[in-house]
Structures are given as structure tokens and as C-alpha cells.
Amino acid sequence: MSRLILKEVEMEFEKSNLQSIISAEFELGHLYGILGRNGAGKTTLLNLLSGRKYPSKGAVFLDQEPIWENPAALPKIYYCGDPKDFPPTMYIYRLIHWIAALRPAFSPEKAEKLCETFSLPQDVRFSSLSTGQKTAFQLAVALSSGAEFILFDEPFLGLDANTRHLFYQELLSIFSKGTITCLFATHWVEEIESILDEILIFEKGKLVLKDSCEHLIQNSYQVSGPSELIDRFCLEQKVLQIQTLGGLKTAIILGPQPPALEGLTFSKISLSELVLALTDQKGGASHA
Amino acid sequence: MEIHFESEKPIYLQIAEQLEEAILSGAFPEETQIPSTTEISITFKINPATALKGINLLVDADIIYKKRGLGMFVKAGAKNRILEQHKQAFYQTYIVTLLSEAKTLKISKAKLLDMIERGYEYESPDSERSRNGI
């Protein structure tokens, strides 16, 4: 049972003075969503977790081993999301063998097969691929990496619907074997929410929520009705968001859905709506 | 089969219900294999754990069973058991909802019973006035 552990790691942002200490664990066999608004720290987190960025305080561990410059741990982690990782002038078929030389666990055969599945040409330079094709190639490499922890940073950039569908097919058939864990840092929650089982929400460099999707869905709801009724009802609730439409108010609330009440309409909300409400708060208080 | 992600119903419940429907329709006959967790997860783009949770619900209900090393199979007598369960759920699913909607619309008990009678009369397959009758 592998675990990727972030132990009291300091998140730093060069451009602002934001700083925070984060601890979190990622267990084998889960599909995690790393969510948050622009500049919340999603990429910074993935860079720390994959050993691309050195934490000024704290450390990242794979089980008991620190991962920093550790040749035993690093092949088990793969970061996918930066096209600058690949030499732009290299031909795709050469690139595949170049990666194989660098990463012993990587399967060039699998990568070639995935390039075919994603209809990617192999006799062209990486730089001549389109944005979506570059993304598709990065995904093909990630799925062939042989790593236990695959960290996807905005994995759908420019990707067409057909290739996304093919990607899910490949991802889920590999994931079903129970040997990998994936982290998805993305803004496109509604695209991926159906496969996630746990999410982490970041806000200004702070981890504000870590929970299972099932628990979150069960513990949130939307209620609408006449303004006065909603205002009275919301007094004792943890309200995330309120929308007003004339005399009608709709509130998104964190907590178990109460039994029916006269005059109020209750309904479930999707994970993406919930994430939107959670990250919409000014002030950025913790909701956990 | 189709999953409604916006539905109030949890996805694993929808998976279980749709498998039941497929068994009732004869698409998955008794003693034959049903799709694997992986196949279901890929087809509907859902987490394999969610698919497994749906399947396990049917295992607990004695509808399907596991053949070691082979996969999940429809149990003999599953169709009847599903029908029985649906009959038991009928009151909660349809009658309770019907009465609550009737109350909202201020339809009296007599009127409602009358409508049900009319339904029996007009909605019979050989009736020409089927679906037009008011």
C-alpha cells in the first residue's frame, strides 16, 4: 500500500507574500481532484509532490522515503502537464525512446499504441503538434509511465471531446487494475467529477477542504423559496452562497438535507456547483 | 442504459436499478454474465468504486452472484425477486408521490379515484380512445 505524503510542507508563492504549511496524504487506488481558483496553489502542490520543486520547509515522502532526488521513489511519481518537459524539435517516435531511456518503468510500446489510439502522428516534431495533440501526447506518456502516482495538471487543454472520451477509457481500464493513483488539478470540475472519489480545495495557498465526493454530495443541498422564508431558514445553517431573483431566494448550504418544509424546495447540487460555491467566498474561511 | 448525473439519486443506485431493468427486460438472462465493474465504469465514465457499490447492492439483494475468477452472474430466480421488490416499492414510489401532487393541485379523493377508474377504462390496449380521454 503506497502513500504519497506531504508533511508540513511550506507552500510559497514568489509573486505574492502568501505562505502556508500544508500536510496531506494520498493513498493508492484513488482519483483525487485538486481544485481551486487561479493562483490557489494547485500547480505548486503538484510540483512539490513530484519532486520538481524543493520545499523550503517540510518534506514529501513516498511511504517512509523522502522523494527529493531519490532514485528509488521518483520513478513511481509522474507529473503530466508541462509541454516544456519535451525537447520541441525531437520527432515523436524518438521522443518516446528518449523518455524510455530516462524512465525505466516507462513502456514505449504502450506509448506508441496510445499515440495510435489518440490518432497522433509519430513522424513529426513535437513542436509541430497542435495544442490538443501536445496534450494528448503528454497523456499518452503519463498513462505509459509505469508510475504509481500520476499527477495531471490541467489534462484537457485543447483536447477534443473524442480524445477526452478515449483518454477516460484508457485511464479507467488502467485504474481498475488497482495499481495507480491519480491527482487531477483542473478548473473543469463538471468534466471530471463523475470519476473523482476525493477532492481537495485550495484557496490562496491554503488547503481549505479535503473530503470524499460521496460525503460532500450527501452533506450539501440547495434550498429555494420566498425571501423571508429562506432568510429565516438560513439563520441556523452554514450558508455558502445566496442568489436572489426578485422575491425568490436560492441558497446553497453545507450540512445534511433536512426533511421537507412547507414553502421551501430542496434539491441536491452537483459537485461542480458545490465547488463553485465553496471557492466563491470572499475572505476564504475554512469550511471543513 | 443511461446515467443522469444531475439526478437526486446517487449514481451507484442508478447503476443497480439499470442493471435490474436490464435483467427484467431479458437483456441479461438468468445464469449469464453481466458486464464487469471496469466495463461499467468505462461505459458511464464513473469511478470503478461507484460501479462496484451498485453491483454489491444487487449481490446483497440476491440478484447476482460472484463466480470466482469469472465475474458476476445473474442468479436463478432473479427476475421474480426483482418484480417482487418493485411491487413492494410501488406504494412508496408512486402512491405517496401521487397523493402529495394531488394535494398540491387540490384534487379530491373522489376525483382521484375517478381518474384511476378512467385510466383503467381508456388506457387499455384495445381502446381507441386511449390517451385522448378526458
Side-chain angles (χ1 to χ4, degrees), chain A residues 176 191 194-195 214 268, chain B residues 5 8 38 41 45 47 53:
Chain A
S176 287
E191 169 63 28
S194 62
I195 68 163
E214 201 182 327
K268 282 273 154 219
Chain B
F5 291 103
E8 299 272 303
T38 310
S41 121
K45 198 182 123 186
N47 191 293
K53 202 170 168 187

Side-chain angles (χ1 to χ4, degrees), chain A residues 31 168-169 172-173 175-176 190-192 194-197 214 257 266-268, chain B residues 5-8 11-12 37-38 41-50 53:
Chain A
L31 298 173
Y168 287 120
Q169 286 194 336
L172 289 170
S173 64
F175 179 75
S176 287
E190 56 270 50
E191 169 63 28
I192 198 153
S194 62
I195 68 163
L196 298 178
D197 59 5
E214 201 182 327
Q257 187 174 326
F266 293 94
S267 57
K268 282 273 154 219
Chain B
F5 291 103
E6 328 70 37
S7 164
E8 299 272 303
I11 294 168
Y12 73 94
T37 315
T38 310
S41 121
I42 290 172
T43 309
F44 299 115
K45 198 182 123 186
I46 56 170
N47 191 293
T50 310
K53 202 170 168 187

Side-chain angles (χ1 to χ4, degrees), chain A residues 230-287:
Chain A
I230 293 289
D231 287 342
R232 210 176 317 143
F233 177 80
C234 285
L235 283 177
E236 288 161 22
Q237 309 295 333
K238 208 163 190 176
V239 182
L240 295 179
Q241 202 180 51
I242 289 194
Q243 269 181 356
T244 312
L245 185 68
L248 187 75
K249 269 191 181 176
T250 303
I252 292 179
I253 291 170
L254 212 56
Q257 187 174 326
L261 274 171
E262 192 83 32
L264 297 179
T265 314
F266 293 94
S267 57
K268 282 273 154 219
I269 55 168
S270 71
L271 200 60
S272 46
E273 288 170 301
L274 180 63
V275 170
L276 193 66
L278 280 166
T279 51
D280 197 32
Q281 299 233 321
K282 299 174 186 103
S286 169
H287 317 287

